[in-house]
Amino acid sequence: MTSIRRGMPMTTKRLEELAREGFSFALWLAAVMLNMASVLWLGFQGLQWLHDGHWTKQPPVMAWVHGVCPGACDFVTNPHSWYGVAKLVRFLYDVPSGLALALIGIALGVLSVSVSDRRPLAPSVTKVRIGAF
């Protein structure tokens, strides 16, 4: 029986496990939604290609970002900003939206698996056997 049924208070370890499971589930759910959106996006584009006979170019991710926050995101295109951010923005200008959704979904899925990992830690070795060799 669990400690809730016996009327005992929950321990911090159990609260940590519940928080980890909840966070892992939220990450997994976000990953599934992003991957489904990318598959639907690419599927719609494929159906359009079958109907029209030409492949329409997807807008890059930065087109969506500038649509969400047009004035607040001007710092991203500043050439004097941090070098890593400038490289990321340059990458996002070239990546189609469907591929970006899939990459982010896969990354969130991997992160969800690593958060929900319940394997025990390896025991630390304190004594060394001399006669083992």
Side-chain angles (χ1 to χ4, degrees):
M1 294 184 79
T2 62
S3 61
I4 296 174
R5 291 183 185 164
R6 285 188 246 153
M8 298 176 70
M10 294 181 76
T11 62
T12 56
K13 184 176 181 180
R14 180 65 182 146
L15 285 175
E16 181 182 324
E17 287 176 6
L18 287 175
R20 181 178 292 222
E21 288 174 7
F23 185 63
S24 172
F25 179 72
L27 285 173
W28 175 81
L29 192 61
V32 167
M33 287 191 313
L34 287 172
N35 283 326
M36 284 180 59
S38 70
V39 167
L40 289 173
W41 183 278
L42 292 172
F44 172 73
Q45 209 174 12
L47 288 175
Q48 243 183 352
W49 172 68
L50 288 173
H51 183 264
D52 297 340
H54 66 277
W55 187 262
T56 57
K57 187 175 178 183
Q58 291 183 359
V61 176
M62 288 307 289
W64 298 97
V65 171
H66 284 298
V68 172
C69 57
C73 294
D74 287 338
F75 73 94
V76 176
T77 57
N78 184 4
H80 302 291
S81 68
W82 182 50
Y83 182 70
V85 174
K87 297 271 294 182
L88 177 68
V89 168
R90 188 170 187 172
F91 175 73
L92 291 177
Y93 269 117
D94 297 334
V95 172
S97 301
L99 180 61
L101 287 173
L103 291 176
I104 294 170
I106 290 169
L108 286 178
V110 168
L111 185 62
S112 121
V113 169
S114 66
V115 166
S116 68
D117 188 17
R118 294 187 189 136
R119 289 182 289 176
L121 297 174
S124 61
V125 178
T126 55
K127 295 181 181 178
V128 178
R129 289 187 188 175
I130 297 175
F133 294 104

